[in-house]
Amino acid sequence: MTLGPRRTLAIVCGADSWPNLREFEDTEAFRTTAAAFRDYLTGEHLGLPDGHVLWLFGESGVPQHLDEIVTFLAAAFGDGSPRGGGWTVLFFYTGHGFFLSSSDEYYLALHDTQSPMRADTSLRASSLGQLLREVAPDSDRVLVVDACFAGAVVPYMQASLDDVVERRVQTVLEEEPASGPGSVAVLCASDANTGAELDGSLRWTTFGRSLLDVLTGGLRGAPAALSLYDVCAAVAALQRSKGAPKPEVHVPVQAAGDLSRVPLFPNPAAGSEQPVPGPPEPPVPPPGPRPVPPVAERVARVLSTQPERLVRRGYRLSSRLAGKVSEQCDVRSGENVNAVCLPLGRVGRFPGSRLIVFTDQALYLVTAYGRLRCPYGRLSQLGLSLSSMRVDAGFGRFVIEHAVDASLGDEEVKYGNWGKTYAQQLYALLTTVRSTTGG
């Protein structure tokens, strides 16, 4: 059962600019990825008619998104299949996902997402799930989520799709009915302990580029059609060769069987002895060399994608706060503080507050028991791991606390202790920053 042009509908959603959010910088990579995926849908590989693809990328307005999706699906299903039976719905998102400190809800940022109404101006994962349940309950649904922050995923990857895509994708189909003929499969860009990345050119997401390479290039020696499981395994191999995050596939609803094992995607390389070219390159920029951004600039771009509850930067990093953390971390003369992880809410009066500071030249980790400075030129040498310990909480009770262990040469620091989820978020942030040295 490959994806056929007559019974497949696709929705492409996301954004590459957020003019009303200072913490998100414009990112060409998301549009490049979304456009290449649309070309795959309508090109020679799947050949979907233009009327079977709903392009919402870069569009504004949550109500408009939901209304357009409802209208699009209902019009395609018609009176003959009002619940979507016999159809496959493919939803693709690329852009920023985030949480608010006041809620565990996961949000997908749209072009007009704005503060202080980010919850009301972003696409709620729960709203998307409810819409698909009500409008297309009998359809098979394949969701691909290529969002830019992959921390806090693990505790929420169980059972329902609201647990699947990551709490960086706490997502999409919570309370999905157990009955009904449709199944649901979700392909996630990364696992719990790593953040999604842009490639070295900053013109693609690494996951998006690997995904398009697999879908348009195919797999030699594989059957004529690839399952989502096959695609995920091939993308994982490419990501591993790049040192990029490993994707995951989940099947939260199996009413009609395991959708991830169904051969859905045509394999262009079936029976071929020669490699098949990958997706087309993005439009060629104006003449002249395109400089590769220095590592410090790449680090700044990574930090711009992080939720403000985790990283303070821009207007939230006052000169007073920058001065305090600079003094406590003994930031070297001539370095400017660009961003701070401030888990305690405010800097204490004495040195020893647990801080992570990003200057224009180096990363500083400071605790009561030690400090570590890692120049951006040595980020690739930074050792990172998660550790846990059993701590006596008194009255015969014990708790498990977690820390991020960092090392650079002979310098070591244990950054913690924290709860599990927050430690994973910090680990995801630091591993993402470290990955900026690649490419």
Side-chain angles (χ1 to χ4, degrees):
M1 184 194 85
T2 58
L3 295 174
R6 296 182 59 186
R7 305 293 287 182
T8 301
L9 301 172
I11 302 162
V12 180
C13 184
D16 62 341
S17 63
W18 301 266
N20 300 313
L21 286 176
R22 295 186 180 184
E23 60 264 42
F24 290 163
E25 295 182 358
D26 294 357
T27 308
E28 174 190 1
F30 297 130
R31 179 168 293 275
T32 301
T33 300
F37 192 76
R38 178 181 57 180
D39 291 344
Y40 168 76
L41 295 171
T42 58
E44 61 177 327
H45 301 289
L46 286 186
L48 301 189
D50 290 340
H52 281 211
V53 178
L54 178 60
W55 176 259
L56 295 176
F57 186 89
E59 298 295 324
S60 298
V62 175
Q64 292 86 339
H65 272 69
L66 298 177
D67 287 345
E68 288 196 47
I69 293 173
V70 170
T71 302
F72 171 68
L73 295 178
F77 296 159
D79 296 333
S81 182
R83 292 166 56 90
W87 287 85
T88 300
V89 177
L90 178 58
F91 179 88
F92 180 87
Y93 176 87
T94 183
H96 287 304
F98 63 90
F99 296 94
L100 297 177
S101 57
S102 59
S103 170
D104 284 338
E105 177 79 76
Y106 180 69
Y107 300 86
L108 303 174
L110 303 180
H111 174 71
D112 64 341
T113 295
Q114 58 184 285
S115 295
M117 301 176 62
R118 285 178 298 162
D120 296 326
T121 55
S122 301
L123 182 60
R124 295 173 185 261
S126 59
S127 298
L128 175 62
Q130 181 180 357
L131 181 154
L132 295 177
R133 288 195 301 274
E134 294 184 359
V135 178
D138 292 354
S139 69
D140 286 326
R141 277 145 284 167
V142 177
L143 295 96
V144 181
V145 180
D146 183 16
C148 59
F149 178 61
V153 182
V154 168
Y156 311 97
M157 298 291 286
Q158 310 299 321
S160 66
L161 184 53
D162 215 34
D163 298 324
V164 166
V165 186
E166 321 176 13
R167 197 175 162 182
R168 148 178 138 85
V169 158
Q170 173 203 23
T171 116
V172 164
L173 299 167
E174 187 178 26
E175 300 174 358
E176 182 72 24
S179 61
S183 291
V184 178
V186 186
L187 179 61
C188 307
S190 62
D191 66 18
N193 294 324
T194 55
E197 301 174 1
L198 307 184
D199 74 357
S201 71
L202 300 179
R203 298 167 69 194
W204 290 84
T205 66
T206 57
F207 169 79
R209 183 57 194 260
S210 294
L211 176 65
L212 269 297
D213 281 346
V214 171
L215 293 179
T216 62
L219 299 177
R220 287 181 293 170
L226 304 174
S227 68
L228 195 64
Y229 181 87
D230 297 329
V231 171
C232 182
V235 171
L238 289 178
Q239 293 288 81
R240 185 166 55 250
S241 70
K242 303 173 184 178
K246 179 183 177 182
E248 293 184 340
V249 64
H250 298 268
V251 191
V253 180
Q254 302 189 34
D258 186 345
L259 186 58
S260 73
R261 301 286 181 166
V262 176
L264 296 175
F265 303 93
N267 180 11
S272 173
E273 296 297 328
Q274 297 298 324
V276 178
E281 291 290 338
V284 178
R290 181 186 178 93
V292 176
V295 173
E297 182 178 338
R298 298 188 218 175
V299 170
R301 294 192 184 187
V302 167
L303 297 175
S304 73
T305 70
Q306 308 306 314
E308 61 183 38
R309 64 188 174 89
L310 186 65
V311 175
R312 294 192 183 187
R313 63 182 300 278
Y315 73 97
R316 299 188 71 247
L317 182 62
S318 66
S319 58
R320 180 172 176 272
L321 175 59
K324 275 193 171 185
V325 299
S326 181
E327 178 181 356
Q328 289 205 3
C329 294
D330 195 22
V331 170
R332 293 187 179 181
S333 176
E335 294 186 25
N336 297 314
V337 175
N338 289 343
V340 179
C341 279
L342 199 61
L344 298 182
R346 62 178 60 183
V347 182
R349 296 178 57 188
F350 304 103
S353 296
R354 294 173 289 184
L355 297 171
I356 301 177
V357 175
F358 303 88
T359 73
D360 54 354
Q361 299 181 36
L363 159 68
Y364 291 78
L365 289 93
V366 176
T367 73
Y369 308 105
R371 61 185 61 209
L372 181 150
R373 177 183 183 274
C374 179
Y376 291 143
R378 297 185 63 191
L379 273 177
S380 62
Q381 304 170 33
L382 182 66
L384 294 170
S385 62
L386 280 172
S387 62
S388 61
M389 65 178 64
R390 189 167 178 259
V391 178
D392 186 351
F395 303 101
R397 296 185 303 110
F398 293 87
V399 296
I400 303 298
E401 295 186 343
H402 302 262
V404 179
D405 299 320
S407 63
L408 183 68
D410 295 332
E411 297 180 84
E412 296 183 359
V413 65
K414 180 179 290 291
Y415 189 69
N417 288 320
W418 313 109
K420 181 178 181 180
T421 297
Y422 188 70
Q424 289 175 337
Q425 291 175 344
L426 294 174
Y427 178 79
L429 170 64
L430 292 174
T431 54
T432 303
V433 166
R434 182 178 61 185
S435 72
T436 59
T437 59

